[in-house]
Amino acid sequence: MTVVAALQIAAGVPIERILAFEDEIRGADLVVLPEAVLGGYPGRVPFTEYFHAAVTVPGPEVTELAGLAARTGASLVVGVIERAGSTLYSTAVFLDPEQGLVAKHRKLVPTERERLFWGRGDGSTLPVVATAAGRAGAAICWENHMPLLRAAMYAKGVEIWCAPTADDRDVWQASMRHIADEGRCFVVSACPYEAEGDDPFRGGSVIAGPLGDVLAGPLRDAEGLITAEIDLEEIVTARKSLDVSGHYSRPDVFSLTVDERPREGVTFVR
């Protein structure tokens, strides 16, 4: 039995709030947490305060998350605000129960007001990671609306599509179900929930199967963990009729080039 889960909790919580879910997480093979669960969503506090609330990767908060993964046996995909030098990124970190931090993905395109606060990732952080639940990759919030990003991840053989998000609209459910159906993969989306505040997030975490069927959620207006039992053999069956990177592709007509080189602002040559 393989169990995947989404932990719905407020954005910008202290690390202790996440660690308090240890008992609930134990027993899951993979758990996805919302975008900016550590560090918070931008524009809600003064920038200097927001900057110092961000985490380094690796860093002490990530080490604590790795400890949580080790104690529970669950792989974790966690949305954090990463501080690198003087720039902030919306980042998903991948924590393995045995190896700790194994990968990260920086959001490629911040949306609207996010662009005032966050830098843009590059193609060097587009991992698909082996976990006990299956091959997992991440697209953060509206990256899920980027068709070419989806095509690249499908081509990498993603089986568990992790979608940390801050989008609590009803239409988000349609996007998650579409990606599950298009990619013939399992989708685990975690959205923040806040009980109070100006324009609080209302949740909507959901898990979908490889034909777009809803397996758990959407969870609305509450904090908590949703779980679903999955069978990767369902992907094999589903891709018999649709494999967008294989028999349903037309490489003679369409092609995609993905540049995975890191893009540094300054290069020193000696």
Side-chain angles (χ1 to χ4, degrees):
M1 178 181 68
T2 301
V3 177
V4 295
L7 177 56
Q8 183 159 291
I9 192 172
V13 296
I15 186 76
E16 291 77 15
R17 287 290 297 118
I18 299 173
L19 301 179
F21 279 87
E22 181 171 330
D23 289 342
E24 289 89 339
I25 290 172
R26 186 174 288 107
D29 295 286
L30 181 143
V31 182
V32 180
L33 281 74
E35 181 179 24
V37 69
L38 290 181
Y41 200 69
R44 297 183 165 193
V45 298
F47 180 73
T48 300
E49 180 180 340
Y50 185 64
F51 179 84
H52 289 295
V55 306
T56 55
V57 181
E61 294 86 356
V62 173
T63 298
E64 290 196 64
L65 291 173
L68 177 64
R71 293 191 301 274
T72 60
S75 293
L76 305 178
V77 180
V78 184
V80 306
I81 303 306
E82 177 191 2
R83 184 175 67 250
S86 295
T87 299
L88 303 180
Y89 299 91
S90 177
T91 298
V93 293
F94 293 74
L95 291 309
D96 180 85
E98 296 182 359
Q99 302 176 65
L101 176 66
V102 291
K104 70 179 180 182
H105 165 58
R106 286 177 173 171
K107 192 174 188 178
L108 292 174
V109 184
T111 303
E112 291 188 336
R113 68 174 180 181
E114 297 171 357
R115 300 184 186 198
L116 299 175
F117 297 86
W118 299 343
R120 301 193 302 173
D122 59 31
S124 67
T125 65
L126 293 173
V128 171
V129 175
T131 76
R135 291 174 53 78
I140 303 171
C141 207
W142 278 18
E143 283 188 316
N144 287 271
H145 297 323
M146 299 174 68
L148 300 185
L149 172 64
R150 298 203 306 270
M153 298 301 287
Y154 298 151
K156 289 192 171 194
V158 65
E159 296 170 321
I160 314 293
W161 184 283
C162 304
T165 189
D167 191 337
D168 60 0
R169 300 173 304 152
D170 291 335
V171 72
W172 184 255
Q173 306 302 315
S175 294
M176 296 299 94
R177 295 184 66 184
H178 170 75
I179 289 172
D181 185 53
E182 177 182 68
R184 293 302 205 251
C185 56
F186 291 95
V187 170
V188 184
S189 178
C191 186
Y193 164 72
E194 298 167 345
E196 55 188 24
D198 296 331
D199 192 23
F201 294 112
R202 62 192 184 105
S205 299
V206 66
I207 302 173
L211 292 177
D213 46 324
V214 174
L215 304 181
L219 177 61
R220 290 287 189 198
D221 301 319
E223 183 181 85
L225 188 78
I226 59 171
T227 64
E229 295 183 13
I230 67 170
D231 182 355
L232 296 183
E233 289 300 307
E234 293 182 27
I235 294 177
V236 176
T237 302
R239 289 181 182 173
K240 175 178 179 292
S241 58
L242 178 65
D243 180 1
V244 293
S245 298
H247 63 76
Y248 221 83
S249 66
R250 282 294 304 275
D252 56 322
V253 179
F254 306 107
S255 64
L256 171 64
T257 300
V258 181
D259 188 342
E260 294 192 321
R261 292 173 294 178
R263 295 295 183 173
E264 302 293 344
V266 177
T267 302
F268 296 94
V269 179
R270 293 184 176 87

